[in-house]
Amino acid sequence: TAEACVDVICPSGTPIDGPITTSDYFNIPPGSAYLVPQGTYSLSGELIIDNLIIFDNCTLIVAPSGFITVNAQMTLTFQNYCLLYGCPSMWQGIVMNQHSTVNVIRSTLRDADKGLNVADNCTFTSVASNFLDCIVGIFVPENVNGQFSNIAGTVIGTTFGRVLPHLKSGYPGQPTF
Protein backbone atom coordinates (compact mmCIF):
# COMPACT_ATOMS: atom_id res chain seq x y z
CA THR A 1 0.00 0.00 0.00
CA ALA A 2 1.12 3.53 -0.64
CA GLU A 3 1.69 5.89 2.26
CA ALA A 4 0.70 9.52 2.06
CA CYS A 5 3.24 12.16 3.04
CA VAL A 6 2.12 15.55 4.17
CA ASP A 7 4.38 18.58 4.47
CA VAL A 8 3.93 20.38 7.75
CA ILE A 9 3.13 24.04 7.26
CA CYS A 10 4.08 26.07 10.31
CA PRO A 11 1.97 29.06 11.29
CA SER A 12 3.67 32.37 10.76
CA GLY A 13 4.35 35.04 13.30
CA THR A 14 6.40 38.19 13.60
CA PRO A 15 9.84 36.96 12.45
CA ILE A 16 12.87 36.90 14.76
CA ASP A 17 15.82 35.94 12.57
CA GLY A 18 18.91 35.10 14.58
CA PRO A 19 21.50 35.25 15.68
CA ILE A 20 20.23 38.49 17.19
CA THR A 21 20.21 40.04 20.65
CA THR A 22 17.03 41.22 22.30
CA SER A 23 18.47 44.74 22.59
CA ASP A 24 18.95 44.85 18.79
CA TYR A 25 15.65 43.15 17.94
CA PHE A 26 13.47 45.23 20.27
CA ASN A 27 15.68 48.36 19.87
CA ILE A 28 16.25 48.82 23.61
CA PRO A 29 19.42 49.50 25.64
CA PRO A 30 21.28 46.32 26.74
CA GLY A 31 20.42 45.33 30.30
CA SER A 32 17.12 47.19 30.39
CA ALA A 33 13.76 45.58 31.20
CA TYR A 34 11.26 44.94 28.42
CA LEU A 35 7.76 43.47 28.26
CA VAL A 36 7.36 41.77 24.86
CA PRO A 37 4.04 42.71 23.26
CA GLN A 38 1.43 39.95 23.24
CA GLY A 39 1.48 38.11 19.93
CA THR A 40 2.94 35.28 17.89
CA TYR A 41 6.65 35.25 17.03
CA SER A 42 8.60 32.92 14.73
CA LEU A 43 12.21 32.32 15.80
CA SER A 44 14.82 31.02 13.39
CA GLY A 45 18.39 30.74 14.66
CA GLU A 46 19.52 32.04 18.04
CA LEU A 47 17.80 34.66 20.19
CA ILE A 48 20.33 36.06 22.68
CA ILE A 49 18.79 37.47 25.85
CA ASP A 50 20.85 40.52 26.86
CA ASN A 51 18.01 42.26 28.71
CA LEU A 52 15.48 41.48 31.44
CA ILE A 53 12.83 40.11 29.08
CA ILE A 54 9.24 39.14 29.89
CA PHE A 55 7.11 37.33 27.32
CA ASP A 56 3.51 37.70 28.50
CA ASN A 57 0.78 35.61 26.84
CA CYS A 58 2.91 35.11 23.71
CA THR A 59 3.42 32.24 21.29
CA LEU A 60 6.95 31.52 20.12
CA ILE A 61 7.23 29.13 17.16
CA VAL A 62 10.82 27.91 16.88
CA ALA A 63 12.32 26.66 13.62
CA PRO A 64 14.45 23.50 13.53
CA SER A 65 17.62 23.84 15.59
CA GLY A 66 16.56 27.28 16.87
CA PHE A 67 17.43 28.15 20.45
CA ILE A 68 17.46 30.88 23.07
CA THR A 69 20.60 31.81 25.01
CA VAL A 70 20.29 33.71 28.30
CA ASN A 71 23.39 35.80 29.01
CA ALA A 72 24.93 36.17 32.47
CA GLN A 73 23.08 38.51 34.85
CA MET A 74 19.99 38.49 32.59
CA THR A 75 16.49 37.18 33.31
CA LEU A 76 14.06 35.60 30.85
CA THR A 77 10.43 35.13 31.93
CA PHE A 78 7.55 33.41 30.16
CA GLN A 79 4.27 34.08 31.94
CA ASN A 80 0.50 33.97 31.55
CA TYR A 81 -0.04 31.18 29.07
CA CYS A 82 2.97 31.55 26.80
CA LEU A 83 3.47 28.67 24.39
CA LEU A 84 6.88 27.77 22.96
CA TYR A 85 7.08 24.95 20.44
CA GLY A 86 9.13 23.62 17.56
CA CYS A 87 7.78 23.53 14.02
CA PRO A 88 8.02 21.45 11.97
CA SER A 89 10.56 19.55 14.10
CA MET A 90 12.25 19.80 17.48
CA TRP A 91 14.30 22.78 18.62
CA GLN A 92 17.31 23.01 20.94
CA GLY A 93 15.65 24.76 23.90
CA ILE A 94 16.80 27.49 26.29
CA VAL A 95 20.52 27.59 27.13
CA MET A 96 21.32 29.30 30.42
CA ASN A 97 24.76 30.84 30.82
CA GLN A 98 26.23 31.07 34.32
CA HIS A 99 24.52 33.61 36.60
CA SER A 100 21.34 33.80 34.51
CA THR A 101 17.70 33.32 35.53
CA VAL A 102 14.73 31.76 33.73
CA ASN A 103 11.14 31.81 35.01
CA VAL A 104 8.36 29.77 33.42
CA ILE A 105 5.04 30.76 35.01
CA ARG A 106 1.71 29.33 33.78
CA SER A 107 3.26 28.53 30.39
CA THR A 108 4.06 25.56 28.15
CA LEU A 109 7.36 24.60 26.56
CA ARG A 110 7.21 21.80 23.97
CA ASP A 111 9.31 19.86 21.47
CA ALA A 112 12.76 20.81 22.82
CA ASP A 113 15.86 18.68 23.06
CA LYS A 114 16.49 20.25 26.50
CA GLY A 115 13.70 22.60 27.55
CA LEU A 116 15.98 24.36 30.02
CA ASN A 117 19.68 23.63 29.82
CA VAL A 118 20.85 24.95 33.20
CA ALA A 119 24.44 26.02 33.92
CA ASP A 120 26.21 26.35 37.26
CA ASN A 121 25.31 29.44 39.33
CA CYS A 122 21.88 29.77 37.70
CA THR A 123 18.38 30.19 39.04
CA PHE A 124 15.26 28.72 37.46
CA THR A 125 11.61 28.62 38.46
CA SER A 126 8.70 26.72 36.96
CA VAL A 127 5.25 27.24 38.44
CA ALA A 128 1.97 25.79 37.11
CA SER A 129 3.63 25.08 33.75
CA ASN A 130 4.20 22.22 31.30
CA PHE A 131 7.30 20.74 29.67
CA LEU A 132 5.83 18.44 27.03
CA ASP A 133 7.24 16.22 24.29
CA CYS A 134 10.83 17.21 25.15
CA ILE A 135 13.80 14.83 25.31
CA VAL A 136 14.64 16.40 28.71
CA GLY A 137 12.42 19.02 30.36
CA ILE A 138 14.99 20.61 32.67
CA PHE A 139 18.62 19.50 32.33
CA VAL A 140 20.82 20.14 35.36
CA PRO A 141 24.48 19.26 34.76
CA GLU A 142 26.21 16.54 36.70
CA ASN A 143 28.38 17.54 39.65
CA VAL A 144 31.93 17.37 38.23
CA ASN A 145 35.11 16.66 40.24
CA GLY A 146 33.27 16.87 43.54
CA GLN A 147 32.70 20.58 43.09
CA PHE A 148 29.48 21.94 44.50
CA SER A 149 26.98 23.02 41.85
CA ASN A 150 25.35 26.30 42.86
CA ILE A 151 21.99 25.98 41.13
CA ALA A 152 18.76 27.25 42.67
CA GLY A 153 15.69 25.63 41.17
CA THR A 154 12.04 25.76 42.14
CA VAL A 155 9.45 23.55 40.46
CA ILE A 156 5.84 23.78 41.70
CA GLY A 157 2.76 22.33 40.01
CA THR A 158 4.62 21.60 36.79
CA THR A 159 3.86 18.72 34.43
CA PHE A 160 6.56 16.83 32.52
CA GLY A 161 5.55 14.28 29.93
CA ARG A 162 4.71 13.19 26.46
CA VAL A 163 1.28 13.90 25.04
CA LEU A 164 1.82 13.20 21.33
CA PRO A 165 2.01 9.55 20.23
CA HIS A 166 5.59 10.20 19.11
CA LEU A 167 8.14 13.00 19.34
CA LYS A 168 8.64 15.35 16.42
CA SER A 169 11.60 14.60 14.16
CA GLY A 170 14.99 15.80 15.31
CA TYR A 171 16.59 19.03 14.13
CA PRO A 172 19.71 18.88 11.91
CA GLY A 173 22.67 17.76 14.02
CA GLN A 174 20.56 16.71 17.00
CA PRO A 175 21.91 13.64 18.82
CA THR A 176 19.92 10.50 18.05
CA PHE A 177 17.09 9.80 20.47
Side-chain angles (χ1 to χ4, degrees), residues 63-65 89-91 111-113 133-135 168-169 171 174 177:
S65 71
S89 62
M90 298 190 89
W91 62 295
D111 311 319
D113 184 43
D133 300 319
C134 298
I135 302 295
K168 290 184 176 178
S169 61
Y171 57 79
Q174 181 175 7
F177 56 91

Side-chain angles (χ1 to χ4, degrees), residues 104-115:
V104 182
I105 313 296
R106 291 182 306 281
S107 294
T108 298
L109 193 150
R110 302 183 69 121
D111 311 319
D113 184 43
K114 294 180 177 92

